[in-house]
Amino acid sequence: KSTCNVNRCAGVTALMKASLVFLVTLLFALMLEALPFPDAFIWFRPEWALLVILYWVIALPYRVGVGVAWLLGIMVDLLQGGVLGQHSLTYVIIAFTCAVFYQRLRMYHSWQQGVFVGLLVSISQLVDFCIDRYMGDAEPTLMIFIPAIITGALWPWSFIVLRSIRRMYAIR
């Protein structure tokens, strides 16, 4: 009976550790989202929060999914002061797509995953642009796709860093 309690305590501790590491990575992504950028370089800002949530959806699809993506999207909306629900909508669409294709994505090399991530972020940028355009805050430009290219290019390095963190803390 005491062995069962020890195993249960170890499981609870491992779950708390995994949750804490996950929350720290999300908070770090939100801090990167909040970094001030000069107006001239605003088009070159990567989608940090989306990059982190995509990693966790691909790595742990049964623990991290659409609900977490929605919550993170709300946080980004509050942080950036935009339309409430705008990022939530795009993050949910992208997280759902990744959750559906996670097994196939795991088979690809990291640069191929980066191309897929770039395409997903392009969809996100396009939906964001449509919402901003409807609200009267955006003019048509192809510059909206530059963050997608940069985020896709950052994917291999982000993947390596986040995977090493996940392995270091044995998050499963």
Side-chain angles (χ1 to χ4, degrees):
K1 191 172 184 177
S2 65
T3 311
C4 180
N5 289 337
V6 170
N7 289 340
R8 189 177 321 146
C9 287
V12 170
T13 304
L15 182 62
M16 287 177 26
K17 179 176 64 170
S19 299
L20 183 64
V21 170
F22 172 71
L23 286 174
V24 166
T25 60
L26 289 182
L27 286 174
F28 187 71
L30 286 173
M31 287 181 358
L32 289 173
E33 286 281 339
L35 282 177
F37 251 64
D39 288 339
F41 297 111
I42 200 71
W43 294 111
F44 299 99
R45 165 181 263 163
E47 292 285 335
W48 293 110
L50 191 55
L51 195 65
V52 170
I53 200 70
L54 286 177
Y55 172 78
W56 288 114
V57 168
I58 293 169
L60 302 170
Y62 297 108
R63 289 190 176 201
V64 180
V66 173
V68 175
W70 179 82
L71 189 61
L72 186 65
I74 289 289
M75 288 185 203
V76 171
D77 288 333
L78 292 172
L79 187 68
Q80 293 181 354
V83 177
L84 191 62
Q86 177 177 349
H87 286 92
S88 295
L89 173 67
T90 58
Y91 286 14
V92 164
I93 292 168
I94 302 307
F96 177 76
T97 305
C98 272
V100 169
F101 293 114
Y102 83 94
Q103 289 177 332
R104 187 173 298 170
L105 284 171
R106 287 181 176 181
M107 303 281 291
Y108 295 153
H109 293 287
S110 62
W111 69 269
Q112 291 170 318
Q113 290 175 354
V115 170
F116 189 76
V117 166
L119 290 173
L120 290 176
V121 175
S122 295
I123 293 169
S124 171
Q125 294 294 99
L126 193 58
V127 171
D128 282 344
F129 170 75
C130 289
I131 293 170
D132 287 341
R133 180 77 175 153
Y134 179 75
M135 299 302 290
D137 295 337
E139 292 298 320
T141 179
L142 290 176
M143 298 290 280
I144 63 169
F145 297 111
I146 290 177
I149 294 168
I150 291 174
T151 305
L154 287 174
W155 173 258
W157 291 280
S158 302
F159 177 81
I160 290 168
V161 169
L162 289 168
R163 183 179 58 183
S164 65
I165 290 170
R166 184 173 60 90
R167 287 182 176 173
M168 183 181 352
Y169 292 102
I171 300 172
R172 296 171 206 263

